[in-house]
Amino acid sequence: NIYHKPSEFTINANAEVGYTIKSHFTVGGKISVTNVSYKDSDTTFIGNQNHFTVQAIPYGKVKFKIWQLMAGPNIMITNRKFYVLPEIVTQLQIYKDYFVLYNEWKTQVRINSMNNLALENPWVVTSNFANSIDETRTFGGFRGSIKGFGYDLRFSQLVSRNNAQFFTNTYSAPLFSDAIFDVQSEDTKAWNPHFSLSYNKGNQFGAKAWFDYFIYNKNNVYELSYLPNFKAGFSAFYNWKDKLYINIDIYGQKITRGIQLNHTLFADTPVAVPVKGLIDINLSANYFITKNIGVFVEMNNLGFQRWQR
């Protein structure tokens, strides 16, 4: 429902190949190619543009008794910029599958297309569509499982370049009185402790609880990441004789903050605006009349919450 009638076409291709030598060594590679084409009837907004992104990861993997390592360069071309970052995954089985130490350094390109931005905020009208480079550096993590119980405890740093962040421009008289939604790109960093605990009894019953805490490195009000500093969730399923499947999913997050940029005749002032937290509860049930025919019921947002944007 915006007057200049933009359109967008996205195509993506992914491939991976690998070859194992004497069961201990593997060489391979992954590649992802994405192209996003924009067309707009009003050239003052986007016009006709083409955005091409390539991510390639040639890697080598070695496995020796209780230790394994995968490493290689992560090569990225996006926004007409070239990046080379490490892709490293190590794992050490200290005690069987019960206690495994791991470290990871992974990077992905998040495609900030107009469609993806609009899914987060349907009112956005912007010429900012730079893709972000998101790194996850897990310095230390422990995971394991025993008799159906599983756990994952890790400490990571998240680094995001060209992170797309929403903000609101407000204008006061004598300029004019209006509010305009837009997007800006900021570089953000956050320390992220994570913990999850799960239990599975085959495909009959399963449950998982998890939480994330984020400590952000902020130098000014613009470097808000629009993520809360605390997120948590719980999910569970029950399978009765492969006839009835029941699922519950609960998600919660604390207060976060958005940016409002107030324009006056003499100054532009950024203000951090609180956005309240939320609890989202979803429930679903599937009953199979025959092996391939069934009926289902879904109830979402059982807390009847409204989430501010």
Side-chain angles (χ1 to χ4, degrees), residues 129-160:
F129 37 80
N131 298 327
S132 64
I133 308 296
D134 295 338
E135 296 179 51
T136 303
R137 307 171 182 175
T138 300
F139 297 102
F142 295 96
R143 60 184 169 218
S145 60
I146 179 173
K147 296 183 179 180
F149 287 95
Y151 68 91
D152 186 0
L153 173 64
R154 65 174 182 261
F155 183 74
S156 307
Q157 185 187 39
L158 310 180
V159 180
S160 186

Side-chain angles (χ1 to χ4, degrees), residues 205-225:
F205 172 78
K208 181 178 180 180
W210 59 271
F211 77 85
D212 278 288
Y213 191 77
F214 299 92
I215 306 164
Y216 294 100
N217 301 344
K218 300 189 183 84
N219 297 317
N220 55 61
V221 71
Y222 290 104
E223 294 183 13
L224 296 169
S225 63

Side-chain angles (χ1 to χ4, degrees), residues 122-258:
W123 308 105
V124 67
V125 178
T126 178
S127 58
N128 186 322
F129 37 80
N131 298 327
S132 64
I133 308 296
D134 295 338
E135 296 179 51
T136 303
R137 307 171 182 175
T138 300
F139 297 102
F142 295 96
R143 60 184 169 218
S145 60
I146 179 173
K147 296 183 179 180
F149 287 95
Y151 68 91
D152 186 0
L153 173 64
R154 65 174 182 261
F155 183 74
S156 307
Q157 185 187 39
L158 310 180
V159 180
S160 186
R161 297 180 176 89
N162 300 319
N163 186 27
Q165 300 181 7
F166 294 102
F167 70 104
T168 306
N169 287 297
T170 64
Y171 295 89
S172 303
L175 298 172
F176 56 91
S177 297
D178 202 355
I180 299 173
F181 298 93
D182 210 337
V183 172
Q184 63 187 7
S185 289
E186 293 293 339
D187 296 343
T188 58
K189 291 182 180 180
W191 298 103
N192 173 216
H194 167 89
F195 178 71
S196 67
L197 183 66
S198 63
Y199 175 76
N200 276 79
K201 188 178 181 181
N203 68 341
Q204 181 182 356
F205 172 78
K208 181 178 180 180
W210 59 271
F211 77 85
D212 278 288
Y213 191 77
F214 299 92
I215 306 164
Y216 294 100
N217 301 344
K218 300 189 183 84
N219 297 317
N220 55 61
V221 71
Y222 290 104
E223 294 183 13
L224 296 169
S225 63
Y226 287 83
L227 288 175
N229 60 4
F230 181 82
K231 298 192 295 185
F234 173 81
S235 59
F237 75 89
Y238 175 72
N239 173 12
W240 180 71
K241 297 181 178 180
D242 291 332
K243 298 283 286 183
L244 176 65
Y245 294 84
I246 299 174
N247 294 272
I248 185 171
D249 183 72
I250 303 173
Y251 169 81
Q253 67 178 44
K254 285 186 66 176
I255 189 172
T256 183
R257 286 172 174 80

Side-chain angles (χ1 to χ4, degrees), residues 72 93 100 107 155 158 223 264:
Q93 290 180 288
V100 179
T107 305
F155 183 74
L158 310 180
E223 294 183 13
T264 66

